Amino acid sequence: MIKEISEKIKYVTSGENPLSSDVILIYGDKATWVFDVGANDEAFDTIEHLICETLSEKEWNLQNELIGKRDVNIVISHFHRDHMGNLERIAKIPATGNRVNLYVSSYTNRYCKSGNIVDKEITIDDGVKIRIFPMESSHSKGCLCLAVNDEVAFIGDAIYPAYKTIDDESGKMDVCVDKFDNRRDYRKQQKVYNVQHMKSQLEKLKSLDVKKVFLAHEKNPLVRKEIMVVFLERIYNKREAGNPYIIQSDM
């Protein structure tokens, strides 16, 4: 399902079978910006249409060839399959004249083996102000976020924790469990936040001049930035001296 945030921002809602992230569509003057590509057919079909679409003859004449075929600029939030699984299929779309550009973190680049690497904030004016920037995260290494004007920052899974389970027999702890890994029952696991990452994350969120943040996988994904900061501060304030992690069974 495609929903509208504003005239220039829409998104394909997340899915569960297969697990697939929301796909954000931002319509600039020269390009359509795509934040995450998901892993299901609906997400792929939407992106395929963007890449393959051309202007009608009438629109081409009215624009006097000013726009021509639009670029599609894809930004991947992090390397988990539900956010970048469709990249393999997108790479196989026949060339149409539309240029497809990919932006990834250096860590995500290890998995997709392609793309322009973003290791510090970049700003692009495309009729809308696009900012792509790294954000430290307990959930995943190499997270990128994307902010549009002063409206909204799309942060993927960045503010989510990792999850831990303890094997009853060996006592071994697994701290790399994803809440959205449907092979596991995350309700029986403990949430794990990295204290240093949370500190950096809070500083970054507070500095963003946006009204709202968009959380992946949520039924109501748009949250006022101030509310998100308060939520994270409550968790951060539970840190203990000498312990690099905050571990919670329940929120």
Side-chain angles (χ1 to χ4, degrees), residues 165-173:
T165 55
I166 298 178
D167 187 280
D168 291 335
E169 294 183 4
S170 68
K172 183 179 179 181
M173 183 173 72

Side-chain angles (χ1 to χ4, degrees), residues 138 159-166 173-175 177 179 185-195 198 201 230-240 243-251:
S138 302
I159 62 97
Y160 297 141
Y163 282 74
K164 83 164 189 176
T165 55
I166 298 178
M173 183 173 72
D174 178 0
V175 194
V177 179
K179 169 181 176 179
D185 185 356
Y186 72 87
R187 291 168 297 182
K188 296 179 180 178
Q189 297 155 0
Q190 292 178 309
K191 303 174 181 70
V192 179
Y193 295 88
N194 181 294
V195 172
M198 286 204 77
Q201 196 173 77
V230 169
F231 172 80
L232 292 175
E233 282 181 332
R234 287 176 179 171
I235 299 171
Y236 183 68
N237 289 338
K238 295 179 180 179
R239 67 194 185 281
E240 299 175 349
N243 190 342
Y245 299 105
I246 301 168
I247 300 177
Q248 295 184 313
S249 297
D250 299 298
M251 292 302 300

Side-chain angles (χ1 to χ4, degrees), residues 27-195:
Y27 298 91
D29 287 348
K30 297 180 180 179
T32 302
W33 294 81
V34 179
F35 185 71
D36 282 336
V37 296
N40 65 13
D41 289 342
E42 182 183 13
F44 173 74
D45 291 345
T46 300
I47 296 167
E48 182 183 40
H49 175 73
L50 288 175
I51 293 172
C52 295
E53 71 180 350
T54 57
L55 296 175
S56 70
E57 190 66 29
K58 183 178 180 181
E59 289 170 328
W60 180 273
N61 291 335
L62 284 174
Q63 294 295 340
N64 194 28
E65 300 187 1
L66 178 63
I67 296 180
K69 296 179 179 179
R70 296 168 58 83
D71 286 358
V72 176
N73 296 332
I74 296 172
V75 181
I76 299 297
S77 66
H78 63 294
F79 71 96
H80 291 170
R81 179 168 179 76
D82 53 313
H83 291 259
M84 60 173 273
N86 277 327
L87 279 182
E88 296 174 5
R89 300 169 71 186
I90 291 168
K92 297 176 183 178
I93 296 174
T96 62
N98 288 7
R99 189 169 58 184
V100 179
N101 304 300
L102 179 63
Y103 297 85
V104 297
S105 68
S106 57
Y107 195 86
T108 297
N109 180 261
R110 297 181 187 183
Y111 293 84
C112 65
K113 309 297 184 184
S114 62
N116 302 292
I117 293 177
V118 179
D119 56 11
K120 61 182 179 180
E121 181 168 332
I122 60 174
T123 301
I124 300 166
D125 188 354
D126 187 18
V128 292
K129 182 181 178 183
I130 300 288
R131 286 175 293 159
I132 306 169
F133 55 90
M135 180 179 284
E136 290 191 36
S137 171
S138 302
H139 177 82
S140 171
K141 294 180 180 180
C143 285
L144 289 181
C145 304
L146 185 153
V148 183
N149 297 331
D150 62 350
E151 294 179 60
V152 58
F154 297 94
I155 61 176
D157 294 350
I159 62 97
Y160 297 141
Y163 282 74
K164 83 164 189 176
T165 55
I166 298 178
D167 187 280
D168 291 335
E169 294 183 4
S170 68
K172 183 179 179 181
M173 183 173 72
D174 178 0
V175 194
C176 300
V177 179
D178 188 340
K179 169 181 176 179
F180 303 109
D181 184 345
N182 53 16
R183 294 170 299 178
R184 312 265 191 135
D185 185 356
Y186 72 87
R187 291 168 297 182
K188 296 179 180 178
Q189 297 155 0
Q190 292 178 309
K191 303 174 181 70
V192 179
Y193 295 88
N194 181 294
V195 172

